[in-house]
Every structure is written in C-alpha cells, then in structure tokens.
Amino acid sequence: MKKRNLPQEGKERNPSRFRFTLIELLVVIAIIAILASMLLPALNRARVAAKQSSCINNMKQITAAAASYSMDHDDNMVFAIYGTRWTPVWSWRNLLGSYLGKPELLHVGESGTVRHYPKEYECPGTSREQYASLGWVPVGNIYGGYGINRSTDGEDATQYKSVMIAGYFHNVTGKTSRFRFPSTTLHFGDGYWELQRFVLTGINDVSSDGVYKMPNPHGDNRVIGWIDAHVSAWRGYMPTFDWSSPRATRFYLGL
C-alpha cells in the first residue's frame, strides 16, 4: 500500500488558493449593485407611504377640528381668514387651534413676527425649508403645509356670491348642512394655506400669477380632507375648474 504524501510540518500552503480573483470581486460588486437598485425604489416607496400615512393622521385631526368648530358656530364653516387687511389677521389655522389642544394659536396673529409651526399643520411631505421656495407665507403668523378651500361661485370684483365655502374677510361663510355632496367636496388639502378654483391652472402646480406652487407632496398623491370630515389620498393634481364640468363644480363648490 502506497503512503499518502502528507504536507510536511511547517510548510505553508499556497496562499493564492484562498484569494478572490479580480473577476470574482467584480461579480460580487455587480450582484450587490443589482440588489441595491432593486431595494432602493422599494425603500423610497415605503418612505413616501409612511409620510402619506402621517399626513392622513394630521388631516383627520384638522377635519375633526373643523367639524367641531362648525357645531359650535351654528353650522357655519371655519373662516379661511378674517380680521383687518392684513394686520391683525387670523386664518383658519388660528381659529382651529383650541380644537387641536393649542388655544394659544388663536392670539398669535394679533401682533408680532414670531412664526409658529404646529406639527398638526405640517405635511410630512413638505419641509419647512420648502415654504419660502414655494412662495408660501405664514398667514396669522402660522406656517403649515395644508390649505382650505375658499372657493365661491362669484367673482371677488363683483362680490356676487351665493355659495361660499370658507369666509374671506367677510362676515359670511358656508354652512356644512347645505352641501348635497359633502363626501366629494374639497375642504382641506395639501398645499398653500388657501385653495380655490380661481387660481388653479391646467397643470395645477402653480397658481395663475405664477406663485404659490403646489407640488404633490407624496409622490403622485396629495391628501384631501372632505366636507363630511373623511380623509383620503388623491392621485394626481386637483381638477381644473370648468363650469361645464360636473366633477369640478362638485369638487370645489359642492354643486
């Protein structure tokens, strides 16, 4: 029987047998890159979905606060803005403060220049740093990422208005009970502090005067709070207003 040639004691093995070749390293790197390219979009979608979910929770608080305000004010909807033009001035964000557990917000619009950023009014998809770049201003000294529908069926110049969603300096505001389609009529949405049919253009990401940009903050979606206080995600931009469009008149005016 032949004896096996055992490695001699103290003799090193060939180290090259245990090294990766350049080709093997490149293959590993390529596989990692492919996996990363597959995972990153999924992670981004998950991040967007998480922000939208947080936004929906904020909007639920806002619509519930607006409903409580209406109950306490003879069914009248919360004002978009009121006061003198423009100091002192209060917006709906000031008026709903006490219904969100922050009664101090009612008085911050009276004077001073301190800006407030209540978390309930901050859309997770729109950072504070974006406000200035989007042309947004802190009406009533409160900044936020949500707007209220202040559409009417008349022109501001003529003052002819038989339908008012949210009052604008006038002692007039709509009543929630008058809407025939409360579940499909806009009350609040992601965007500038006021949203109305007059300024929204065809692509809906800028107003007619070129300011107050309103990108969709959640990928292709924005969050809408409806007159009946339910909340949902809206895919794409809000509809362009056209009197011949039942969808648009229902969305903005509840007609």
Side-chain angles (χ1 to χ4, degrees):
M1 178 179 292
K2 294 182 179 181
K3 294 183 177 180
R4 295 181 179 176
N5 293 324
L6 300 175
Q8 296 180 6
E9 189 174 335
K11 186 177 181 181
E12 294 183 0
R13 298 184 180 185
N14 185 359
S16 64
R17 295 180 55 194
F18 302 98
R19 294 175 182 168
F20 286 108
T21 67
L22 179 59
I23 294 178
E24 289 172 329
L25 286 173
L26 291 175
V27 169
V28 171
I29 292 172
I31 292 173
I32 293 174
I34 292 171
L35 291 175
S37 66
M38 295 171 62
L39 290 174
L40 285 177
L43 290 174
N44 288 334
R45 287 193 296 270
R47 188 179 299 112
V48 170
K51 288 183 177 180
Q52 179 174 298
S53 177
S54 179
C55 183
I56 287 175
N57 289 333
N58 284 349
M59 188 65 79
K60 286 180 178 178
Q61 294 184 67
I62 292 171
T63 56
S68 297
Y69 177 97
S70 180
M71 291 177 62
D72 290 344
H73 292 82
D74 193 28
D75 196 40
N76 289 302
M77 302 172 70
V78 63
F79 275 82
I81 190 172
Y82 80 106
T84 57
R85 292 180 182 255
W86 281 84
T87 302
V89 65
W90 297 266
S91 76
W92 62 270
R93 294 172 183 160
N94 302 91
L95 296 176
L96 294 185
S98 60
Y99 296 92
L100 294 169
K102 297 185 175 181
E104 68 277 6
L105 294 181
L106 178 61
H107 303 289
V108 300
E110 294 177 354
S111 61
T113 58
V114 177
R115 295 177 177 179
H116 299 261
Y117 299 83
K119 64 180 180 62
E120 293 85 354
Y121 295 147
E122 289 195 282
C123 169
T126 306
S127 66
R128 295 181 182 181
E129 292 72 22
Q130 288 181 277
Y131 294 162
S133 64
L134 293 171
W136 296 2
V137 295
V139 178
N141 290 331
I142 299 178
Y143 253 132
Y146 304 108
I148 191 170
N149 178 15
R150 76 166 187 93
S151 297
T152 72
D153 63 341
E155 302 294 336
D156 284 340
T158 63
Q159 299 297 311
Y160 170 75
K161 302 178 182 72
S162 61
V163 175
M164 172 75 76
I165 302 296
Y168 189 80
F169 284 121
H170 306 290
N171 191 24
V172 177
T173 191
K175 289 182 177 289
T176 57
S177 58
R178 77 144 184 94
F179 292 97
R180 295 176 55 200
F181 309 102
S183 63
T184 55
T185 303
L186 167 69
H187 197 182
F188 300 95
D190 288 313
Y192 188 53
W193 75 272
E194 61 161 337
L195 305 172
Q196 56 157 315
R197 68 177 184 86
F198 292 117
V199 299
L200 298 175
T201 64
I203 57 173
N204 217 235
D205 60 352
V206 294
S207 71
S208 57
D209 56 5
V211 295
Y212 309 148
K213 296 179 181 178
M214 292 181 7
N216 286 332
H218 308 294
D220 292 331
N221 296 343
R222 67 176 61 248
V223 172
I224 299 290
W226 307 93
I227 294 292
D228 69 351
H230 90 278
V231 176
S232 63
W234 178 276
R235 186 171 182 81
Y237 294 112
M238 289 184 283
T240 301
F241 187 81
D242 181 349
W243 281 111
S244 64
S245 170
R247 176 172 178 262
T249 54
R250 183 174 298 184
F251 182 87
Y252 290 106
L253 299 171
L255 299 176

